Every structure is written in structure tokens, then in C-alpha cells.
Amino acid sequence: MGLKDYKEKRDFRKTKEPSGEQDGGRANLFVIQKHDARNLHYDFRISVDGVLVSWAVPKGPSTDPSEKRLAIRTEDHPLSYADFEGVIPEGEYGAGTVMIWVRGAYENLNEDERVAEGLKKGHIKINLQGEKLTGGYALTETNKEKHWWILVKTRDDAVDTRRNPTSTEPRSVLSGRTLAEIKKEEKEDE
Ligand code: MN
């Protein structure tokens, strides 16, 4: 883990994404960013040992334990990325609009193992506490070469097979804006 891949992929003179130079002190943070890039997806990130460990989840998280969601592990991001909402310019890595869809705190549900250890072994179970998403979620690695994991809701009080927060709650928890509104307002700023 580390930020080498993150920095190599980006030109910080062109994108307003954080360079990750001044980070610190944000343990147990989780954030899910809705990212309208080449393909719309949700970036699921949790803070582990000073970076945001990240997965791209094409369909986003579900509140139904029978819904297994593909999660592709991506490069670690700086902790300050949890504050990023805006537009990545055309031609830059990940070009498109980014929204803070949900943000909150998480805790490790595995008493015997640190999250960092679980990540190495390919399985973690965490509890989320956010406005749109609560309760247990498990992430399990299914293909090491392809960086494929599965994100699934675990069975607890927060299970709701009828809720579909990715479609019914499409706005930013930070600004209340939709992706289209973020894109439009950023254009006007230029
Ligand atoms: Mn993304």
C-alpha cells in the first residue's frame, strides 16, 4: 500500500484532486464517491494505516444480503480524497464528475484481526455508520490477478431488501447536489 500509483496516474497541475501531501489523523473513515467517468461507478474507500484503501463498485452497495456486488480494488488514495467533490478535467486520469455520495465512520467487526491483515488475506468485515448506509458489510477477494472482490451486506438490523439507496438517494451528502448540478456549477466557475 502507499500513494505511489495514485501520484503517478495524475497531473496535479491539471486536476483539482488532492495530491496527498498534507494528510493525517482520520482513522476509521469511510466514503463512497459516485463517479461519472467512462463508466458510472461508486468508489468505496476506507481509511487504513493513513491511506484510503479503495474499490470501484460498478453497481454500488446494496442493502440486500443476496445482492453480491463486484468491487474492483484500485490504487490507494490520500485521506484528503474523502473531501473531494468536483470535476476531473477531460484527458486526465478518471476524467468526469465526482460526488461524495455518503461519508461516515466504520469499525472492524473482526475481533481477531486488524483490517490491514484482513486485506492481505482477502477478507474483511466492517460496520458502517453513514447517513445512507449502516450496518455490516463484507469484502472478499475472488480473483487476485484481476483485483476482483465481492461487496455484500451482512445479515443484521440494517438489512432492507426493498431499499435501493443508489437510485432513491442520488444526491451528495456534502452539498445536496446531483452529479449534473456539480458538473454545471464547476463549468460556471471556470
Ligand atoms: Mn472512480
Side-chain angles (χ1 to χ4, degrees):
M1 284 195 282
L3 296 176
K4 194 169 163 281
D5 287 354
Y6 176 86
K7 289 180 181 174
E8 278 175 5
K9 285 171 191 253
R10 290 169 176 79
D11 182 345
F12 296 107
R13 290 165 302 181
K14 292 184 180 154
T15 180
K16 290 179 195 161
E17 294 167 288
S19 63
E21 295 304 332
Q22 286 148 359
D23 270 347
R26 301 180 74 178
N28 302 323
L29 168 82
F30 91 94
V31 64
I32 301 178
Q33 281 153 317
K34 191 174 180 180
H35 186 186
D36 187 14
R38 231 172 342 182
N39 299 298
L40 182 75
H41 60 273
Y42 292 79
D43 287 301
F44 186 98
R45 313 188 197 279
I46 60 171
S47 63
V48 182
D49 296 341
V51 294
L52 290 174
V53 173
S54 300
W55 294 263
V57 185
K59 288 187 175 175
S62 177
T63 52
D64 179 349
S66 69
E67 287 279 329
K68 293 192 169 83
R69 297 284 159 91
L70 173 67
I72 303 148
R73 179 101 182 250
T74 57
E75 77 275 21
D76 295 343
H77 279 49
L79 293 179
S80 47
Y81 208 91
D83 301 322
F84 180 72
E85 180 168 281
V87 174
I88 302 168
E90 257 172 67
E92 296 308 298
Y93 183 74
T97 311
V98 177
M99 169 209 289
I100 299 175
W101 184 70
V102 65
R103 196 167 59 180
Y106 84 92
E107 62 180 338
N108 185 11
L109 289 175
N110 187 342
E111 288 165 23
D112 307 322
E113 196 170 71
R114 294 178 63 243
V115 172
E117 284 304 309
L119 287 169
K120 275 183 211 155
K121 292 183 190 169
H123 180 73
I124 61 167
K125 199 175 154 187
I126 56 178
N127 191 68
L128 304 180
Q129 203 57 250
E131 247 175 76
K132 296 172 182 173
L133 228 49
T134 57
Y137 280 82
L139 274 150
T140 307
E141 191 173 43
T142 57
N143 187 320
K144 221 176 177 53
E145 271 106 72
K146 290 183 171 163
H147 311 289
W148 285 358
W149 294 58
I150 291 291
L151 171 69
V152 70
K153 177 83 195 77
T154 60
R155 294 185 187 278
D156 59 23
D157 292 349
V159 164
D160 190 335
T161 55
R162 286 171 302 183
R163 241 188 108 207
N164 191 0
T166 49
S167 64
T168 58
E169 297 174 55
R171 287 174 185 275
S172 163
V173 291
L174 184 78
S175 64
R177 297 180 296 177
T178 61
L179 276 171
E181 286 164 355
I182 294 166
K183 192 176 178 182
K184 187 167 170 276
E185 284 175 25
E186 292 257 333
K187 277 235 166 78
E188 285 164 2
D189 280 356
E190 277 166 12

